Amino acid sequence: MSMLTPPGLGGQYRIRGDRYPRMRRPRRRGRIIAASLASGLAVAVLGWGTLQLVDIFSGGDPGPDKAAAGRPAEHAKCASPAATAKAAAGGRNAADGRNAADGHGLPEPGEITVNVLNATSRSGLAKDTADELKKRGFKIGKIANAPAEFDQKVEKAGVLIGAPGATTSDRLQVLGTQLEDTRTRYDERDGKDIDLILGKGFEHLAKKKAATAALAELTGSSPPPDKSAPASGATC
């Protein structure tokens, strides 16, 4: 054994000549892996923070205007009754403007007097129909059987008759929204009353909801809200 060899060491640590063994510490790969993972996590967090800063300073927040624009359905549900009534009034005013441009406006049902005449063999048909028209706002004139020239000779649901003229045509149009399958005639008469002659094809007036919608379409206004519908619980 060489004198340079420490006591108790031999074998591979034995010093021969001028070559000395290198006594290194064993490598700890666990620390290297942990350090690499920590570095990657730090880079990821730094990148995420940078993106957040860029988003804030570049106006990424949609703001109240854009957020409100993204919720049109919510605003529609939260429309107040006053706003709804205002919109309906606007529609009626627009319709009045169009009618004024034509020189006249369509009359309301309460401004129309209707004579209800029965040209069928069904008893009480004229009275029942007149009562329903009265409920819908029309004024009722005579309730009687139709003249001989129409008795049992009207195949359609009804015949609407009035004096010639634009105003009579308007009244007949408004009355025509209350039933289907009718025809219109004009005759020489005094006054503004119009006749509704019920024919063989008549069964009943149009459903009130459908008649109201037809009248609204004719006048260009919005139909009134359905009072039977449950109130909405939406709040704003």
Side-chain angles (χ1 to χ4, degrees), residues 122-202:
R122 286 178 284 173
S123 177
L125 182 62
K127 184 179 184 307
D128 293 342
T129 304
D131 290 343
E132 182 61 28
L133 286 174
K134 186 175 181 179
K135 292 178 182 178
R136 299 185 183 189
F138 290 88
K139 291 183 178 180
I140 303 300
K142 295 186 298 183
I143 301 175
N145 292 326
E149 63 176 305
F150 296 104
D151 188 27
Q152 303 293 326
K153 298 176 183 178
V154 179
E155 300 296 332
K156 289 181 174 292
V159 179
L160 310 180
I161 305 176
T167 56
T168 299
S169 177
D170 292 341
R171 290 194 292 274
L172 293 177
Q173 286 186 68
V174 173
L175 178 59
T177 61
Q178 305 302 309
L179 69 164
E180 299 178 353
D181 192 26
T182 63
R183 61 188 178 94
T184 302
R185 285 184 51 177
Y186 298 94
D187 61 8
E188 296 298 332
R189 64 174 64 191
D190 296 328
K192 298 180 179 181
D193 293 5
I194 58 177
D195 296 344
L196 169 59
I197 301 179
L198 303 175
K200 297 177 181 179
F202 180 83

Side-chain angles (χ1 to χ4, degrees), residues 24-233:
R24 298 178 180 176
R25 293 182 179 180
R27 297 181 179 179
R28 298 183 180 180
R29 295 184 179 180
R31 292 185 178 180
I32 297 176
I33 294 175
S36 300
L37 291 176
S39 300
L41 181 61
V43 171
V45 172
L46 181 61
W48 180 81
T50 303
L51 288 177
Q52 294 300 313
L53 291 175
V54 171
D55 186 54
I56 292 173
F57 288 104
S58 63
D61 187 3
D65 295 337
K66 293 183 180 180
R71 298 191 299 269
E74 180 180 348
H75 286 290
K77 291 181 181 179
C78 293
S80 64
T84 304
K86 185 176 181 181
R92 288 194 295 271
N93 292 337
D96 293 342
R98 290 193 297 271
N99 293 329
D102 295 336
H104 60 275
L106 292 175
E108 297 291 333
E111 301 173 339
I112 303 173
T113 300
V114 183
N115 301 317
V116 184
L117 309 176
N118 185 5
T120 73
S121 59
R122 286 178 284 173
S123 177
L125 182 62
K127 184 179 184 307
D128 293 342
T129 304
D131 290 343
E132 182 61 28
L133 286 174
K134 186 175 181 179
K135 292 178 182 178
R136 299 185 183 189
F138 290 88
K139 291 183 178 180
I140 303 300
K142 295 186 298 183
I143 301 175
N145 292 326
E149 63 176 305
F150 296 104
D151 188 27
Q152 303 293 326
K153 298 176 183 178
V154 179
E155 300 296 332
K156 289 181 174 292
V159 179
L160 310 180
I161 305 176
T167 56
T168 299
S169 177
D170 292 341
R171 290 194 292 274
L172 293 177
Q173 286 186 68
V174 173
L175 178 59
T177 61
Q178 305 302 309
L179 69 164
E180 299 178 353
D181 192 26
T182 63
R183 61 188 178 94
T184 302
R185 285 184 51 177
Y186 298 94
D187 61 8
E188 296 298 332
R189 64 174 64 191
D190 296 328
K192 298 180 179 181
D193 293 5
I194 58 177
D195 296 344
L196 169 59
I197 301 179
L198 303 175
K200 297 177 181 179
F202 180 83
E203 296 182 359
H204 50 73
L205 294 175
K207 298 293 184 181
K208 187 175 181 180
K209 185 175 181 180
T212 302
L215 182 59
E217 182 178 359
L218 179 65
T219 60
S221 62
S222 299
D226 187 359
K227 295 182 180 180
S228 63
S232 174

